[in-house]
Amino acid sequence: MLIRPFVPADTEPVVALWERCGLTRPWNDPRKDIERKLSVQPDLFLVGVLDAAVVASVMAGYDGHRGSINYLAVDPAHRRDGLAGRMLGVVERELETLGCPKVSLQIRAGNDTALEFYVAHGYTPDHTVVLGKRLISDGPAAG
């Protein structure tokens, strides 16, 4: 798998990947997420390509205090091939290069598969409560 920075031509394949992986939600427009990411640290938005097809993605950010990881996805047809671990490793190294001392991420409640994956890669619960507040609406409210 070739891991490279996202380019605008990857938009529809990445959105389709996220849909296949169950990452999209009606209140969160994935195309707007991509557009926003391309305006802030676009070099931390990576895709994995196999046979000219986008099969993996990851978004990251670093605010000078903590790094964050979002949209780590691997096409269901390629799961258990080590691709997610490769994507995670590359983006962690990119964050570390920027001086990032710690990375945080969120997992939706009930996604035990993702939780097990991250624990296997050295992540531990921070015993914090994550609160959110929508500042810009992308569509219908959650609920």
Side-chain angles (χ1 to χ4, degrees), residues 107-112:
I107 301 169
R108 286 196 176 94
N111 190 345
D112 294 335

Side-chain angles (χ1 to χ4, degrees), residues 65-87:
H65 176 65
R66 292 284 182 261
S68 61
I69 294 176
N70 294 288
Y71 282 120
L72 177 60
V74 172
D75 190 294
H78 295 283
R79 292 204 177 141
R80 306 281 183 208
D81 291 342
L83 304 184
R86 287 187 55 203
M87 296 293 291

Side-chain angles (χ1 to χ4, degrees), residues 39-90:
S39 71
V40 180
Q41 298 178 316
D43 49 317
L44 294 177
F45 185 7
L46 306 175
V47 295
V49 179
L50 270 177
D51 300 322
V54 173
V55 298
S57 75
V58 65
M59 275 188 190
Y62 177 51
D63 64 10
H65 176 65
R66 292 284 182 261
S68 61
I69 294 176
N70 294 288
Y71 282 120
L72 177 60
V74 172
D75 190 294
H78 295 283
R79 292 204 177 141
R80 306 281 183 208
D81 291 342
L83 304 184
R86 287 187 55 203
M87 296 293 291
L88 184 61
V90 168

